[in-house]
Amino acid sequence: AAGIFQKLLDRRREVPDGIRARALMGKGAIAIRRADSMSAEAHYAQALVVLEASAEQKDDPALIGHAYNGRGVARIQQGKMQEAVSDLGMARIAMQRSGSLVDAAAVGVNLALIEVQRGHYAQALQEFDRAIAVFERFEVRDYLAAALMGKANTQLKLAQPADAAASIQRTDALSKSLKDDDLA
């Protein structure tokens, strides 16, 4: 995948801005999975530069939202929490403007994970609950299971074992219908 993205990027002028930004975000996603958060941050930052100079981002606000979300995740991995919160806030606004409630809820899960890391468990539970409601409404089972697992872990940190057990039972009920085997 990295090679394909690089071939697109090497063609510079022939490739429309939206495709170039997607290729940069693809390279950023690969870097995140390789635990190279500094490279990921750089790729997402380049995608943002391309999109902000392009008319295409006005036509597809979710695209810039994905770039902010990716850079936010890379910044979380580096412990740059304030910058990550800012990026994720921008991502959520872009996703909401695009009408993509599921993507906005996915950003909310990332914000919840930051709140857990900062020890703000009540805020994390609020973010998880908002995301869970959206994932249930649109039957996005994989995201729903991940949000429920995050919520259960937060409930355990708050010494709420009965609530955590209920979240875990809800997650377990989804396990057979998940598309992601690792998540199941």
Side-chain angles (χ1 to χ4, degrees):
I4 292 168
F5 292 136
Q6 191 58 52
K7 283 180 185 177
L8 281 169
L9 293 169
D10 289 343
R11 292 170 47 193
R12 296 196 189 267
R13 294 203 183 340
E14 301 169 29
V15 179
D17 290 341
I19 301 296
R20 189 168 49 242
R22 284 179 178 90
L24 287 163
M25 287 189 280
K27 288 188 75 171
I30 291 167
I32 284 175
R33 281 157 187 80
R34 289 181 173 163
D36 184 0
S37 58
M38 291 177 68
S39 178
E41 181 180 5
H43 289 302
Y44 284 110
Q46 289 173 334
L48 284 164
V49 169
V50 169
L51 289 170
E52 288 175 358
S54 167
E56 194 160 337
Q57 65 100 358
K58 291 176 184 73
D59 297 334
D60 185 4
L63 193 57
I64 200 163
H66 287 295
Y68 275 115
N69 186 56
R71 189 172 73 176
V73 170
R75 287 176 165 177
I76 291 168
Q77 291 178 347
Q78 296 174 60
K80 299 177 180 178
M81 296 307 177
Q82 284 305 113
E83 294 96 333
V85 168
S86 176
D87 279 349
L88 294 175
M90 294 295 290
R92 181 164 28 201
I93 290 167
M95 298 304 186
Q96 289 170 338
R97 280 186 41 229
S98 75
S100 181
L101 300 178
V102 170
D103 286 334
V107 171
V109 170
N110 289 334
L111 285 165
L113 295 172
I114 289 174
E115 296 301 350
V116 170
Q117 287 184 14
R118 298 194 307 184
H120 302 157
Y121 302 126
Q123 293 92 329
L125 288 176
Q126 289 175 350
E127 289 287 353
F128 282 127
D129 284 338
R130 279 194 290 266
I132 287 166
V134 171
F135 299 147
E136 285 178 324
R137 177 177 168 202
F138 291 100
E139 297 182 14
V140 184
R141 289 185 176 90
D142 286 40
Y143 285 8
L144 175 58
L148 285 166
M149 288 177 3
K151 180 179 179 179
N153 287 329
T154 305
Q155 290 166 321
L156 288 172
K157 289 179 185 302
L158 287 168
Q160 299 173 347
D163 293 338
S167 295
I168 292 166
Q169 285 176 338
R170 289 177 65 193
T171 307
D172 190 48
L174 293 169
S175 65
K176 291 178 181 60
S177 66
L178 299 179
K179 294 177 182 171
D180 184 337
D181 292 335
D182 292 333
L183 182 60

